[in-house]
Amino acid sequence: MSLLDKHSIRQSENLERTMKSVQRWVAAAIVIGLMVGSTALLAGEMKVDAATASEAIAQAEAAQKKADSVNGEWRDTGKFIKNAKKAAEAGDYAKAIRLAKKAESEGNLGYQQAVSQSELKIPSYFKAMYQ
Amino acid sequence: MDPVEPMQTQLLTATGRETMKKLLISLAVLLITAVSAQAGPEEDRMAFIKYYKSKFPNVPMEEYANGAYAIDPVGRENWEAIEEFPPYEPFIDRGQVMWETPFANGKGYKDCFPDGPVIAHHYPHWDKKQKMVMTLPLALNQCREANGEKPLKYKKGPINNILSYIAFQSRGQVVNVKVPMDDPDAVAAYEDGKKFYFTRRGQLNFSCASCHVQNTGLKVRTEILSPSVGHVTHWPTYRSKVDWSTVGTLHRRFTGCNKNIRAKPMKAQGPEYRNLEYFLSYLSNGLELNGPGARK
């Protein structure tokens, strides 16, 4: 069993806290799902061309910047954007758009993750130590 | 008198009592939350010690300076073998040369630090004039720049030599970090570091505490997660891991831990990591310095 599994088991022991974060992540997932879904829908009609790719990259960069502004950027977001740019330059616009969308969603998630913790909260497993 | 009246009063007081009870409960909850969120450095340190003591009742306090090897008997045996021929030794020697070699302007580290190289235990500290946490690597670079030298890089390379020399000379000194509680900026820096420590980051949504408190003693890949009390006593540290195979700084380690959870690391010696170091170092107050260290 990996640490990640143990971690989630432990987390679920604290139902209330988990519910709260589940709600947050579900909300985030719905937003992203909608975004991904709508892009998938659009992609059918939308042109996979240089302009679309460069628009997607611009949006990814904006999301990255927003996450960074609250110290919430994830490790690979920048790499995805860099690779999206490379793909666009090489004319692989489908790949560029896919990577840019991935980076954009990471940027949004990282931002939400940080702002949802703007207040310091001592985790439940540690709180009792202060008594 | 209307016979209904006492009934009503009774009912009213009953709901009143109920409300009162609820109010008291939420007040108590609030109080508990407030206590832990506003606890000062000493309360924090005691809370960490209490936590680890209950998790590892047989580990004596001074052992925490040995990191994971205080709680991992197998890793400890390897480590003791490595310490017989310390891999960090050449770096100490190179650091001594750096310490003694004057800069281009004829001055040297000795002029910036006239009390000699036994100074590691004075860091990190709150620098009232610059209104920021002063760390040893930053102080060394400020000395260089004041003397017209280029600053050294903060994660890899020669800064680790001079840090190794100072760490070795400072062995046996006791960690004694102070947070001047009458200086709101200093308290804010400490609090900022504490918040960083407890904030979940990256794609894996882990905080420092997720690994080094909640899961201390468990294995991640091949390593046992160390307690945070003792995290700062032995820097720089030689790691045998292939992409290190050399001594590296504490902020290089922070960078690695942030990357492992797929978060973008902060800048080494930027305000975030210095404040984190301030908080983390306070937790080791009372432990002896034993750097440079060797780890897996």
Side-chain angles (χ1 to χ4, degrees), chain B:
Chain B
M1 200 168 93
D2 194 330
V4 178
E5 217 175 5
M7 255 289 264
Q8 269 178 345
T9 329
Q10 229 172 30
L11 254 172
L12 263 175
T13 41
T15 37
R17 228 179 280 137
E18 205 43 44
T19 322
M20 199 58 190
K21 213 159 124 194
K22 272 190 196 147
L23 236 147
L24 277 175
I25 289 172
S26 41
L27 253 171
V29 168
L30 253 169
L31 215 70
I32 291 166
T33 327
V35 163
S36 43
Q38 287 174 6
E42 199 51 21
E43 285 86 358
D44 290 335
R45 191 176 74 88
M46 294 324 285
F48 272 79
I49 289 174
K50 190 171 166 188
Y51 181 88
Y52 294 130
K53 285 256 157 192
S54 68
K55 210 161 190 170
F56 312 110
N58 299 322
V59 173
M61 208 50 227
E62 67 272 13
E63 267 298 319
Y64 281 84
N66 296 325
Y69 306 131
I71 55 174
D72 169 19
V74 178
R76 188 183 184 99
E77 229 168 277
N78 282 322
W79 172 66
E80 280 175 355
I82 286 170
E83 282 282 353
E84 280 176 35
F85 304 98
Y88 46 74
E89 232 164 41
F91 303 94
I92 299 173
D93 297 342
R94 278 176 229 163
Q96 181 168 11
V97 173
M98 277 170 89
W99 178 266
E100 282 162 6
T101 308
F103 302 134
N105 69 355
K107 300 220 164 147
Y109 291 109
K110 288 178 178 177
D111 298 288
C112 300
F113 306 96
D115 296 336
V118 186
I119 48 174
H121 58 300
H122 297 318
Y123 299 89
H125 66 246
W126 180 249
D127 187 321
K128 220 175 167 66
K129 245 199 243 148
Q130 300 186 59
K131 275 188 182 297
M132 60 191 250
V133 173
M134 183 54 61
T135 62
L136 180 54
L138 189 59
L140 288 167
N141 265 347
Q142 288 194 346
C143 167
R144 293 178 62 88
E145 290 183 286
N147 288 290
E149 296 287 317
K150 269 201 201 147
L152 302 171
K153 285 192 180 157
Y154 282 122
K155 288 187 288 195
K156 308 176 185 181
I159 198 157
N160 288 290
N161 299 345
I162 186 130
L163 286 171
S164 294
Y165 175 62
I166 292 169
F168 189 67
Q169 292 290 323
S170 306
R171 277 189 177 182
Q173 301 297 319
V174 174
V175 181
N176 183 21
V177 176
K178 295 187 186 97
V179 180
M181 297 307 283
D182 58 350
D183 187 334
D185 292 326
V187 175
Y190 174 88
E191 287 297 326
D192 186 57
K194 176 173 163 185
K195 173 142 185 286
F196 195 102
Y197 187 90
F198 283 107
T199 299
R200 296 168 167 276
R201 303 173 185 275
Q203 197 177 27
L204 298 192
N205 199 32
F206 273 46
S207 69
C208 310
S210 311
C211 282
H212 293 292
V213 178
Q214 191 179 19
N215 289 301
T216 330
L218 294 184
K219 222 171 199 177
V220 165
R221 292 191 201 117
T222 62
E223 296 185 278
I224 299 277
L225 288 165
S226 55
S228 274
V229 169
H231 260 170
V232 300
T233 59
H234 54 280
W235 297 92
T237 290
Y238 186 98
R239 292 188 66 198
S240 353
K241 196 175 177 253
V242 274
D243 57 338
W244 279 54
S245 288
T246 186
V247 280
T249 60
L250 178 62
H251 288 205
R252 184 174 176 195
R253 179 78 246 198
F254 289 169
T255 302
C257 281
N258 272 163
K259 280 186 181 163
N260 281 343
I261 51 163
R262 298 188 199 147
K264 187 184 151 198
M266 301 289 138
K267 220 173 145 229
Q269 295 300 331
E272 293 88 0
Y273 278 177
R274 274 186 290 107
N275 292 346
L276 175 62
E277 180 177 340
Y278 197 33
F279 166 74
L280 200 61
S281 301
Y282 193 97
L283 298 182
S284 290
N285 270 0
L287 293 178
E288 278 188 14
L289 291 177
N290 56 352
R295 295 285 187 271
K296 226 157 93 174

Side-chain angles (χ1 to χ4, degrees), chain A residues 5-130:
Chain A
D5 298 327
K6 281 187 184 143
H7 165 74
S8 38
I9 289 167
R10 250 172 239 232
Q11 258 215 333
S12 59
E13 282 167 6
N14 193 328
L15 201 66
E16 197 183 4
R17 233 170 63 90
T18 313
M19 279 310 286
K20 263 192 214 144
S21 68
V22 163
Q23 276 162 10
R24 258 201 310 272
W25 287 103
V26 164
I30 288 171
V31 170
I32 281 143
L34 281 174
M35 277 164 40
V36 172
S38 53
T39 42
L41 271 179
L42 279 172
E45 302 148 30
M46 189 175 63
K47 275 196 188 126
V48 179
D49 59 9
T52 323
S54 103
E55 173 62 21
I57 289 169
Q59 276 173 7
E61 280 177 328
Q64 177 194 31
K65 218 168 147 185
K66 211 167 126 188
D68 190 44
S69 73
V70 290
N71 282 345
E73 191 178 334
W74 291 1
R75 186 188 64 189
D76 300 331
T77 312
K79 197 164 70 191
F80 292 147
I81 293 175
K82 215 162 108 189
N83 290 341
K85 285 179 175 167
K86 267 193 209 150
E89 268 166 37
D92 190 347
Y93 302 123
K95 185 177 173 192
I97 292 167
R98 185 170 47 77
L99 285 170
K101 290 289 168 198
K102 203 151 112 180
E104 185 188 353
S105 90
E106 279 204 354
N108 290 332
L109 283 170
Y111 176 79
Q112 283 166 16
Q113 181 185 42
V115 294
S116 74
Q117 299 174 88
S118 57
E119 295 282 322
L120 166 68
K121 279 201 206 84
I122 303 295
S124 52
Y125 56 81
F126 198 59
K127 234 177 204 165
M129 298 303 128
Y130 285 97

